[in-house]
């Protein structure tokens, strides 16, 4: 039986990071993944990541996947693809299906990074073709370039629902609505806002009643629910859609850990009981990433590194002191990601009313997906200034700070605490370079120039749709809710390598719409 | 600590315990069944589902004949659950002369006990079981044998007994038998609870040994792991139970009503598992089972294994169970040490235990299976 | 050891619900009504439900329905889903051809 | 149903074109994509009909977990089309129960 110092199961963000860390320590490492492509969910994630620079913030998920893979390959990690691990047996031996046969391998350390799979809720007609998981939609469009459908109802307003909803729009799919049984949007407000401003309605306190159709989905019926999640008669609504996309949460894919005999605990799905280094109740078996508890890919990468380093320490590839130093830095990086109003401790909290800075949270954002003009002016990213200046519509404490470093002219400040709201510095000089707009993973930064022409202002917004409107084209400006506000003329379109596929669209609108026009459509 | 009483207290909620509870309720006795894990956690749910007479030791053969003649045919109806019993025959394959000779002896022995059993040549074998490999030269066929769904049977007895008022408590591990004036009068559980009864029946599989040890009774048995693979749903292929002789690696299986195929086999390493080994599938056993299945039925090569499971069998020293009253301790009964072939006789065993528990003569002569056989 | 459960405790009568014919186990096509009946027949653990109804025994081995069934048992018994043990996870975690599996030890 | 140009991914990289058969009809897809993706691009929604209730099923999870998207591929039933890559000359059929024909046992 071939023996490796470390066998990593799952080549996603956690698995690749673990293998890199272990290989850097000089360990002989193999990674197994059942998919054709490594990277796990990263290759479906075409949006820019949150976090700080060390978390690879503002880089798109699939690019991070490519970077990690290149790094692993450089370190001579054996990456086995199309290789499904089907069992873990005694003494860290595993059975793998690979090249039409089952093979057995043994590892000094096993790092299990099998990720998560989507939860589903049953409803009338949920077995019809056309009812799919949000992950399935992502796989179809972002990996295979195939449209999941023409018109979609998204069920679930967590980050997955919001991000996949936006990606569907980018792929050219129409979204009838995003519904959620909860009374508040579960994901980041900025993710909701970029969908809402295109005109997608959010129906909170709504649940799906039925997928209609005989052979496949031809429509969907939804209904409003009361505070006890019971349907309210007479509130049924119908949508003509061909696809119903389910984004109702994730559960760790922990079967292998259970087969191995690791002690498990219930935490929104079964997760292994691990120590701070990710080691399970069985010495030499580690868990990292979503399988150890659902978080973002950014934290999975750090978790993977910790497990990789801990396995290196366990088998004497690194010294205790070196490990401790490494661990301290990684732990700090993880702590940064685990702050803010969406962190584990705050998940499910419904009584949050203000930001860490004491500014009232926008109920409109939580209930409808968009901010109201009167609310936005209270935030430190919105200042009235002469000339062109950024308007930062970032109103929740999320761990993210690329805008601060994107501006080379010190117009934007977040400070040490990366969940703090960005502040536009009063006496700074904006050069209209657009880097902040393109670097904001939440697409929440706009450039406003109120001095442009008599009676008109120019608004620069991030734009990630095709085709790009050409300069001189006249169309309609939409507000944050996607409602038409006025006519608008495109006066500029900037693309640059540094913008990484976020185009900067500048439109001219009458000055009274300076603080309401936030999107453009033909 | 609660004290609870019934006419009969049963330790072990497997098929033996559940069925005994059912027959006792039919007789009007109050019953408490105590189970450490869930119902049917042990060998009851971890066996091939064979309901077989052929090849059985003369001491337990009457139980098999009685069950197939009197209980199994109407059990689904009786319990109100389809337990998927089919009297579809059992066929044992021989690849060489050694096998032929072996089975000829089995036929001879079983015929003496009145069991209809015959040798089939290659052509006859293929006629009733067309998918079998060309390497099979003969078989031994018993048409009155069959199979049932062991999971359903175990739970159906439980369900019906519960409906009839038997009390089942899970999460209660029986540690010891409690005596009163020299008679078994109750059991004590690991939670410290005491359950009292006029009759105490221990049907706890291998764990029966430790419980019986508390009153200085020791059934000579050891555990052995078995492993089974489940093949995805197939069209109806053949109805009978198949048996591969132990000298050729062993194996047994049948197609379920659902269409999946259940196949169990052995690897030599099972006898040498570490003592602390848990009930988990071993690294190479599934692969070994796959090869064994294909060597007898090449048909299955492209079918998919969808799961495997393992379970303990409790091997008794002389390969037949211990059933009945334990004379040394009045009021104490047991049924354990089934050596991997208990399921097929479980209803008959339970019927006998229920009769013994009410001081009646059992319907089947089980005197040869008494614990007293180990007392020199 | 499992949690203490007196299977004679009263969980109320089985009342028909309008969505009882909704599929829960997609592979084996087991409905909500069938699972609810099993619970009222005394099947109070995930494993008993699986063995009694076949829910979770199909090609995918309960990867979608387990979580849903857990919630259903909890609801019928009036306990938290946390208190209900999962089914045993079994090898192989993906379906594997007999021929392919067997090659592991040739 | 294919994305021609994507604002982030540009032109989606595809392998070379391959021919396959879907219920006897010749179709075209790309090497390296899953059978499920190729069929979805052609608008095929129903992959199979279930054994018991004969209800249609198609892609559900697309990550090889739910096994809903199985079809008969080159004569073998229950093949997960979301995990199996399209190959030249593949013969893909709608699955009825576990059979390639609409015959119910």
């Amino acid at each position: 039986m071939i023996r490796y110092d470390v066998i990593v199961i799952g080549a996603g963000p956690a698995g690749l990071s673990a293998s890199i860390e272990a290989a850097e320590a000089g360990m002989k490492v193999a990674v197994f993944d059942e998919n054709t492509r490594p990277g796990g969910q990263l290759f479906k994630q075409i949006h820019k990541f949150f976090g700080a620079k060390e978390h690879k913030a503002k880089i798109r998920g699939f690019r991070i996947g490519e970077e990690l893979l290149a790094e692993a390959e450089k370190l001579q990690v054996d990456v086995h693809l199309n290789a499904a691990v089907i069992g873990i047996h005694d003494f860290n031996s595993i059975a793998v299906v690979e090249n039409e046969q089952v093979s057995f391998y043994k590892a000094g350390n096993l790092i299990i990074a099998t990720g998560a799979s989507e939860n589903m809720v049953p409803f009338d007609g949920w077995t019809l073709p056309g009812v799919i998981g949000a992950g399935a939609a992502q796989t179809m469009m972002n990996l295979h370039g195939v449209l999941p459908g023409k018109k979609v109802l998204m069920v679930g307003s967590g980050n997955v629902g919001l991000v996949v909803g936006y990606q569907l729009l980018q792929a050219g799919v129409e979204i009838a609505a995003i519904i959620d049984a909860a009374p508040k949007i579960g994901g980041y407000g900025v993710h909701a806002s970029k969908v809402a401003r295109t005109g997608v309605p959010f129906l909170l306190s709504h649940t799906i009643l039925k997928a209609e159709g005989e052979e496949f989905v031809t429509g969907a019926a939804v209904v409003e629910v009361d505070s006890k999640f019971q349907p309210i008669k007479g509130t049924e609504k119908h949508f003509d859609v061909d696809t119903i996309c389910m984004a109702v949460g994730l559960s760790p894919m922990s079967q292998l850990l259970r087969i191995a005999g690791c002690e498990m605990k219930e935490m929104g799905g079964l997760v292994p009981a691990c120590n701070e280094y990710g080691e399970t109740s069985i010495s030499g078996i580690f868990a990292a990433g979503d399988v150890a508890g659902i978080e973002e890919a950014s934290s999975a990468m750090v978790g993977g590194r910790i497990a990789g380093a801990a396995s290196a320490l366990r088998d004497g590839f690194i010294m205790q002191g070196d490990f401790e130093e490494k661990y301290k830095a990684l732990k700090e990086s993880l702590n940064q990601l685990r702050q803010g109003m969406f962190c584990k401790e705050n998940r499910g909290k419904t009584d949050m009313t203000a930001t860490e800075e004491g500014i009232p949270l926008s109920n409109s954002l939580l209930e409808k997906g968009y901010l109201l003009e009167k609310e936005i002016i209270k935030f430190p990213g919105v200042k009235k200034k002469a000339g062109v200046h950024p308007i930062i519509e970032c109103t929740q404490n999320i761990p993210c700070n690329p805008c601060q470093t994107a501006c080379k002219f010190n117009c934007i400040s977040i400070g040490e605490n990366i969940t703090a709201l960005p502040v536009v510095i009063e006496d700074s000089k904006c050069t209209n370079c657009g880097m902040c707009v393109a670097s904001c993973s939440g697409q929440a930064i706009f450039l406003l120039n109120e001095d442009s022409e008599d009676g008109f202002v120019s608004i620069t917004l991030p734009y990630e749709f095709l085709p790009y409107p050409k300069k001189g084209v006249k169309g309609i400006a939409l507000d944050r809710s996607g409602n038409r506000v006025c006519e608008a003329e495109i006066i500029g379109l900037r693309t640059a390598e540094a913008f990484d596929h976020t185009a900067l669209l500048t439109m001219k609108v009458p000055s009274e719409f300076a603080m309401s026009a936030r999107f453009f459509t033909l | 600590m609660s004290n609870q009483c019934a006419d009969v207290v049963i330790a072990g909620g497997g098929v033996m315990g559940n069925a005994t509870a059912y027959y006792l309720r039919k007789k009007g006795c109050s019953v408490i069944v105590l189970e450490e894990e869930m119902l049917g956690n042990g060998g009851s749910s971890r066996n091939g589902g064979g309901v077989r007479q052929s090849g059985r030791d003369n001491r337990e053969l009457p139980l098999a004949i009685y069950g197939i003649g009197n209980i199994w045919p109407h059990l689904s109806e009786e319990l109100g659950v389809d337990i998927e019993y089919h009297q579809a025959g059992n066929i044992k394959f021989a690849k060489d002369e050694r096998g032929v000779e072996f089975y000829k002896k089995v036929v001879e022995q079983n015929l003496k006990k009145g069991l209809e059993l015959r040798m089939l040549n290659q052509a006859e074998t293929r006629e009733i079981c067309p998918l079998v490999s060309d390497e099979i030269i003969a078989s031994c066929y018993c048409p009155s044998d069959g199979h049932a769904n062991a999971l359903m049977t175990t739970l159906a007895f439980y369900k019906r007994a519960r409906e009839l008022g038997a009390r089942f408590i899970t999460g209660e591990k029986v540690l010891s038998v409690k005596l009163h004036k020299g008679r078994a009068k109750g059991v004590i559980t690991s939670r410290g609870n005491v359950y009292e009864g006029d009759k105490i029946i221990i049907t706890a599989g291998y764990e029966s040994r430790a419980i019986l040890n508390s009153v200085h009774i020791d059934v000579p048995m050891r555990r052995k792991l078995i492993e089974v693979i489940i093949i995805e749903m197939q069209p109806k292929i053949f109805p009978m139970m198949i048996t591969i002789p132990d000298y050729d690696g062993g194996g047994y299986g049948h197609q379920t009503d659902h269409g999946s195929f259940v196949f169990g086999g052995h690897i030599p390493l099972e006898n040498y598992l570490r003592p602390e080994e848990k009930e988990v599938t071993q690294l190479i056993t599934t692969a070994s089972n796959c090869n064994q299945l294909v060597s007898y039925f090449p048909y299955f090569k492209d079918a998919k294994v969808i799961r495997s499971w393992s379970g303990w069998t409790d091997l008794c020293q002389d390969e037949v169970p211990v059933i009945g009253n334990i004379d040394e301790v009045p009021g104490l009964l047991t049924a354990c040490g089934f050596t991997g072939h208990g399921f097929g006789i479980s209803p008959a065993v339970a019927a006998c235990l229920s009769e013994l528990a009410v001081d009646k003569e059992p319907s089947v002569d089980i005197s040869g299976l008494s614990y007293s056989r180990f007392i020199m | 050891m499992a949690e203490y459960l007196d299977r004679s405790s009263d969980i109320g009568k089985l009342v028909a619900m309008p969505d009882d014919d909704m599929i829960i186990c997609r592979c084996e096509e087991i409905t909500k009504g069938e699972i609810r009946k099993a619970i009222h027949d005394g099947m109070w653990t995930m494993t008993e439900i699986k063995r009694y109804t076949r829910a979770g025994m199909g090609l995918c081995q309960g990867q979608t329905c387990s979580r849903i069934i857990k919630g259903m048992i909890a609801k019928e018994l009036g306990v938290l889903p946390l208190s209900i043990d999962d089914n045993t996870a079994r090898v192989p975690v993906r379906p594997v051809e007999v021929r392919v599996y067997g090659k592991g030890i040739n | 149903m294919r994305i021609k140009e994507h604002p982030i991914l540009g032109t989606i990289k595809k392998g070379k074109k391959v021919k396959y058969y879907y219920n006897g009809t010749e179709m075209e897809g790309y090497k390296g994509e899953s059978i499920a993706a190729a069929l979805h691009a052609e608008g095929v929604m129903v992959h199979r009909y279930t054994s018991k209730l004969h209800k249609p099923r198609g892609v559900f999870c697309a990550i090889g977990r739910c096994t809903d998207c199985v079809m008969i591929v080159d004569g073998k039933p229950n093949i997960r089309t979301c995990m199996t890559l399209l190959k030249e000359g593949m013969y893909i059929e709608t699955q009825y129960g576990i059979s390639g024909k609409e015959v119910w046992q």
Side-chain angles (χ1 to χ4, degrees):
Chain A
M1 213 183 310
I2 297 175
R3 182 190 170 103
Y4 287 94
D5 296 322
V6 176
I7 286 179
V8 180
I9 306 175
L16 285 176
S17 304
S19 70
I20 291 166
E21 194 66 42
E24 272 176 351
M27 301 178 96
K28 187 181 162 201
V29 184
V31 183
F32 292 90
D33 196 294
E34 65 178 321
N35 296 291
T36 316
R37 288 178 70 173
Q41 300 311 303
L42 286 174
F43 277 101
K44 302 174 194 174
Q45 295 181 338
I46 59 170
H47 60 285
K48 294 176 178 173
F49 273 38
F50 292 91
K53 194 168 178 224
E54 76 224 58
H55 310 118
K56 299 187 189 284
K58 80 169 183 180
I59 306 179
R60 295 184 190 274
F62 69 103
R63 296 272 178 235
I64 299 175
E66 286 164 1
E67 281 179 20
L68 291 177
L69 185 63
E71 217 176 320
E73 278 172 351
K74 210 172 111 197
L75 291 163
Q76 293 179 317
V77 170
D78 277 351
V79 182
H80 297 245
L81 299 175
N82 295 311
V85 175
I86 52 168
I88 296 183
H89 299 270
D90 273 358
F91 301 118
N92 280 9
S93 48
I94 64 166
V96 185
V97 195
E98 199 177 7
N99 305 320
E100 288 281 286
Q101 76 164 70
V102 167
S103 310
F104 303 116
Y105 296 89
K106 187 162 280 192
N109 299 275
L110 271 177
I111 299 177
I112 298 171
T114 42
S117 63
E118 297 180 276
N119 295 340
M120 291 293 166
V121 287
F123 54 91
D124 188 6
W126 75 303
T127 58
L128 270 181
V131 177
I132 57 171
Q138 270 189 316
T139 307
M140 282 291 175
M141 60 189 176
N142 298 344
L143 279 187
H144 298 299
V146 173
L147 293 175
K150 292 192 180 78
K151 194 169 176 185
V152 173
L153 175 74
M154 178 64 72
V155 181
S157 70
N159 275 337
V160 174
L162 300 176
V163 167
V164 175
Y166 187 72
Q167 292 174 1
L168 283 162
L169 295 169
Q170 289 180 301
V173 179
E174 195 183 333
I175 300 184
I178 297 181
I179 69 164
D180 202 310
K184 284 182 179 169
I185 288 171
Y188 290 176
V190 285
H191 278 321
S193 294
K194 65 188 192 189
V195 175
R197 72 173 79 112
T198 71
V200 174
F202 280 83
L203 295 176
L204 278 292
S205 294
H206 275 71
T207 191
I208 181 143
L209 262 189
K210 187 179 174 125
E212 298 159 349
E214 287 297 318
E215 289 287 285
F216 42 79
V217 173
T218 55
V222 306
V223 68
E224 198 175 333
V225 294
D226 60 22
S227 57
K228 287 179 182 140
F229 299 102
Q230 295 307 305
I232 302 169
K233 270 220 164 80
T235 61
E236 293 83 2
K237 293 173 190 69
H238 166 88
F239 293 103
D240 281 318
V241 292
D242 59 12
T243 305
I244 297 168
C245 202
M246 305 295 294
V248 292
L250 299 167
S251 286
M253 261 208 271
S254 58
Q255 286 93 334
L256 287 172
L257 286 155
R258 285 157 60 198
I259 286 170
C262 300
E263 196 184 303
M264 306 296 288
K265 58 180 186 183
E266 176 74 38
M267 225 179 68
L270 279 186
V271 298
C274 290
N275 67 13
E276 67 259 53
Y277 312 125
E279 193 164 12
T280 66
S281 61
I282 300 177
S283 171
I285 299 186
F286 295 79
D290 275 354
V291 76
I294 308 291
E295 283 187 274
E296 301 288 328
S298 323
S299 354
M301 288 187 274
V302 187
R305 283 199 174 264
I306 292 174
S311 63
L313 172 69
R314 189 176 169 274
D315 280 4
F317 283 84
I318 54 173
M319 296 298 112
Q320 184 76 34
D322 296 340
F323 171 77
E324 273 162 22
E325 202 173 304
K326 205 179 269 275
Y327 175 70
K328 205 179 143 213
L330 289 168
K331 185 71 199 172
E332 192 149 313
S333 163
L334 202 54
N335 284 344
Q336 285 197 324
L337 291 170
R338 287 177 175 166
Q339 290 164 12
M341 56 181 284
F342 290 89
C343 73
K344 233 186 253 171
E345 295 77 51
N346 289 334
R347 219 177 276 164
K349 259 195 195 166
T350 49
D351 54 351
M352 260 186 293
T353 54
T355 68
E356 290 163 10
E357 293 82 354
I359 307 168
L361 288 173
S362 162
N363 276 326
S364 169
L365 182 63
L366 290 170
E367 286 159 15
K368 295 178 185 142
Y370 55 86
L371 296 153
L372 300 177
E373 207 176 314
K374 62 174 188 217
E375 293 168 330
I376 188 66
I377 51 174
K378 295 176 188 151
F379 285 85
V382 181
K383 299 265 165 69
K384 204 160 168 67
K385 277 169 60 113
V388 63
H389 60 278
I391 296 284
I392 309 181
E393 305 197 348
C394 180
T395 64
Q396 294 172 328
N397 300 114
I398 54 176
C400 187
N401 70 2
C403 55
Q404 169 172 256
T405 40
C407 183
K408 299 287 176 240
F409 306 94
N410 302 319
C411 298
I412 303 170
S413 162
I414 285 181
E416 280 298 297
N417 175 9
I418 72 165
T419 58
L421 295 176
V423 177
V424 168
I425 306 295
E426 231 40 92
D427 55 357
S428 60
K429 178 74 186 124
C430 171
T431 65
N432 194 28
C433 73
M435 284 309 291
C436 58
V437 179
S439 75
C440 175
S441 307
Q443 298 189 17
I445 305 184
F446 304 84
L447 293 174
L448 181 61
N449 188 349
E450 293 178 82
D451 310 339
S452 43
E453 269 180 62
D454 276 351
F456 285 92
V457 296
S458 77
I459 302 168
T460 299
L461 53 101
Y463 194 82
E464 294 188 346
F465 301 95
L466 288 181
Y468 293 142
K470 287 201 174 69
K471 196 174 164 180
V473 161
K474 284 190 176 146
I476 299 149
L478 304 179
D479 67 8
R480 296 180 185 85
S481 71
N483 278 330
R484 165 198 179 114
V485 285
C486 59
E487 271 203 3
E489 184 189 336
I490 298 302
I491 54 168
L493 174 82
R494 284 184 275 170
T495 58
E497 203 169 310
F499 296 166
D500 187 11
H501 295 85
T502 306
L504 269 50
L505 200 59
T506 306
M507 63 182 180
K508 191 173 89 175
V509 296
S511 48
E512 64 261 45
F513 304 113
M515 281 309 286
S516 57
R518 286 296 177 266
F519 198 64
F520 177 84
T521 187
L522 284 172
Chain B
M1 297 298 109
S2 58
N3 280 292
Q4 314 190 60
C5 311
D7 295 333
V8 182
V9 174
I10 300 175
V15 68
M16 298 295 171
N18 297 350
T20 305
Y22 163 69
Y23 289 116
L24 283 167
R25 279 307 299 146
K26 286 220 307 185
K27 289 181 166 55
C29 300
S30 58
V31 190
I32 296 174
V33 181
L34 304 169
E35 164 59 44
E36 175 185 355
E37 297 290 340
M38 63 199 143
L39 294 151
N41 186 54
S44 315
S45 301
R46 301 167 196 263
N47 67 75
V51 179
R52 154 185 77 85
Q53 308 149 104
S54 55
R56 285 201 189 255
D57 185 282
N58 282 342
R59 288 169 288 176
E60 66 172 19
L61 183 60
L63 281 166
I65 294 174
Y66 178 80
I68 286 172
N70 300 284
I71 304 177
W72 282 107
H74 49 83
L75 199 51
S76 290
E77 204 182 331
E78 201 179 325
L79 301 177
V81 176
D82 183 4
I83 57 157
E84 300 169 22
Y85 171 66
H86 298 287
Q87 195 167 29
N90 184 309
I91 189 163
K92 305 178 202 316
F93 301 116
K95 271 185 177 171
D96 52 24
E97 279 310 315
R98 183 180 167 189
V100 174
E101 286 313 306
F102 176 78
Y103 284 127
K104 273 185 180 160
K105 277 194 201 113
V106 171
V107 170
E108 197 181 312
Q109 202 181 45
N110 282 179
L111 277 176
K112 272 189 215 156
K113 286 279 167 183
L115 186 62
E116 191 200 328
L117 196 66
R118 60 177 186 271
M119 291 300 293
L120 303 180
N121 64 24
Q122 189 174 41
E124 289 165 334
T125 303
R126 293 186 71 86
E127 195 172 315
I128 63 164
C129 195
L131 298 176
V132 80
S133 146
D134 295 340
E135 288 178 45
I136 309 305
I137 60 165
S139 66
C140 163
Y141 182 56
C142 178
S144 59
D145 282 351
H147 52 81
N149 182 327
L151 312 173
M152 286 304 270
T153 305
T154 302
L155 293 172
F157 272 121
Y158 155 62
K159 174 231 162 204
R160 191 70 192 118
R162 179 176 172 270
E163 273 172 2
L164 293 174
R167 186 158 174 223
F168 287 83
I169 300 171
T170 50
E172 273 288 39
K173 178 182 168 66
V174 173
L175 292 181
S176 58
V177 176
K178 186 174 177 260
L179 298 179
H180 180 72
K181 295 184 179 170
R183 278 186 66 88
K185 192 64 187 157
V187 296
I188 303 168
T189 70
S190 62
R191 294 182 193 273
N193 292 332
V194 176
Y195 296 86
E196 291 190 336
D198 293 331
K199 290 286 161 64
I200 307 300
I201 305 181
I202 312 297
T203 53
Y206 180 77
E207 281 71 23
S208 304
R209 186 170 189 173
I211 300 171
L212 293 169
N213 281 173
S214 69
V215 285
H216 306 155
I217 304 298
D218 193 33
V219 176
M221 57 175 163
R222 67 178 174 91
R223 294 194 309 186
K224 184 184 167 185
L225 198 71
I226 60 158
E227 284 195 37
V228 164
I229 54 174
I230 312 294
I231 310 291
E232 65 184 323
M233 180 197 278
Q234 302 294 310
K236 290 274 171 272
I237 40 178
F238 50 80
M240 69 281 280
M241 187 90 192
I242 58 157
T243 308
I244 296 170
D246 280 350
Y247 78 83
D248 194 31
Y252 48 88
H254 74 273
Q255 185 173 28
T256 65
D257 281 11
H258 164 264
S260 54
F261 194 85
V262 178
F263 181 79
H266 310 280
I267 60 162
L269 289 175
E270 283 148 4
N271 289 318
Y272 301 94
L273 293 181
R274 288 167 299 128
E276 76 276 14
E277 191 62 73
K278 290 203 199 96
E279 197 175 37
V280 291
T281 49
Q282 301 296 300
L283 182 65
I284 61 170
T285 316
T286 304
S288 162
N289 280 342
C290 286
N291 288 339
Q292 180 75 323
L293 177 61
V294 170
S295 79
Y296 279 79
F297 289 94
Y299 165 86
F300 286 107
K301 68 182 193 321
D302 290 327
K304 290 181 274 303
V305 181
I306 56 169
R307 68 176 172 278
S308 65
W309 49 254
S310 63
W312 296 115
T313 53
D314 39 2
L315 302 187
C316 200
Q317 178 266 329
D318 56 357
E319 296 183 356
V320 289
V322 174
I323 303 171
N325 285 312
I326 294 177
D327 300 335
E328 293 174 37
V329 185
L332 182 63
L333 297 88
T334 192
C336 64
F338 283 90
T339 317
H341 36 79
F343 173 68
I345 56 173
S346 58
V349 171
C352 291
L353 280 179
S354 72
E355 287 157 346
L356 288 170
V358 296
D359 301 320
K360 283 218 176 90
E361 193 63 28
S363 301
V364 183
D365 175 15
I366 50 169
S367 52
L369 299 170
S370 156
Y371 170 69
S372 60
R373 72 179 188 269
F374 297 112
I375 298 158
M376 300 300 143
Chain C
M1 193 170 59
E3 235 175 283
Y4 178 95
L5 276 180
D6 183 342
R7 303 300 182 100
S8 306
S9 324
D10 186 15
I11 59 161
K13 277 220 150 39
L14 176 62
V15 185
M17 283 167 74
D19 58 353
D20 270 346
D21 57 0
M22 179 168 74
I23 296 288
I24 298 294
C25 167
R26 297 169 68 98
C27 298
E28 292 297 315
E29 301 175 80
I30 310 299
T31 64
K32 184 172 180 180
E34 289 171 276
I35 293 167
R36 292 182 62 238
K37 180 180 176 296
I39 299 168
H40 285 264
D41 276 350
M43 310 307 149
W44 291 6
T45 65
M46 297 284 287
T47 303
E48 287 159 13
I49 296 276
K50 174 176 168 176
R51 291 171 176 171
Y52 195 68
T53 66
R54 288 200 60 83
M57 253 193 208
L59 205 54
C60 94
Q61 292 292 292
Q63 301 214 48
T64 305
C65 66
S66 291
R67 190 186 161 85
I68 303 167
I69 293 171
K70 200 180 211 182
M72 288 178 64
I73 300 176
K75 195 172 171 200
E76 296 289 331
L77 299 187
V79 299
L80 285 173
L82 292 177
S83 66
I84 303 201
D85 282 342
D86 276 61
N87 279 326
T88 311
R90 299 197 182 281
V91 173
V93 297
R94 298 285 182 267
V96 182
E97 286 89 345
V98 170
R99 159 181 58 82
V100 169
Y101 221 132
K103 274 189 203 160
I105 52 165
N106 267 348
Chain D
M1 294 282 277
R2 286 190 189 274
I3 301 168
K4 288 187 188 76
E5 180 117 55
H6 191 282
I8 310 302
L9 300 165
T11 328
I12 310 269
K13 277 185 218 97
K14 282 287 173 189
K16 75 173 187 15
K17 274 194 176 167
V18 291
K19 284 198 174 80
Y20 66 95
Y21 299 88
Y22 166 65
N23 289 338
T25 310
E26 193 178 292
M27 306 251 248
E28 246 179 22
Y30 295 92
K31 197 169 176 238
E33 67 185 1
S34 68
I35 295 173
L39 289 175
H40 206 83
E42 298 299 320
V44 173
M45 294 296 286
V46 179
H47 285 214
R48 66 180 180 111
Y49 292 89
T50 59
S51 295
K52 217 158 107 181
L53 303 170
H54 310 174
K55 293 291 185 196
R57 294 288 173 86
V59 171
F60 185 52
C61 82
I63 58 165
R65 184 183 73 126
C66 77
T67 67
D68 244 347
C69 68
V70 298
M71 296 180 85
I72 302 206
V73 177
D74 292 332
K76 292 175 197 164
N78 281 348
I79 302 296
R80 293 175 299 158
T81 56
C82 69
M83 295 301 281
T84 310
L85 301 187
L86 190 66
K87 285 191 191 118
E88 178 76 38
M90 246 179 187
Y91 207 86
I92 298 154
E93 296 164 89
T94 306
Q95 184 171 319
Y96 299 86
I98 47 168
S99 153
K101 293 193 190 78
E102 201 176 342
V103 186
W104 301 104
Q105 280 200 355

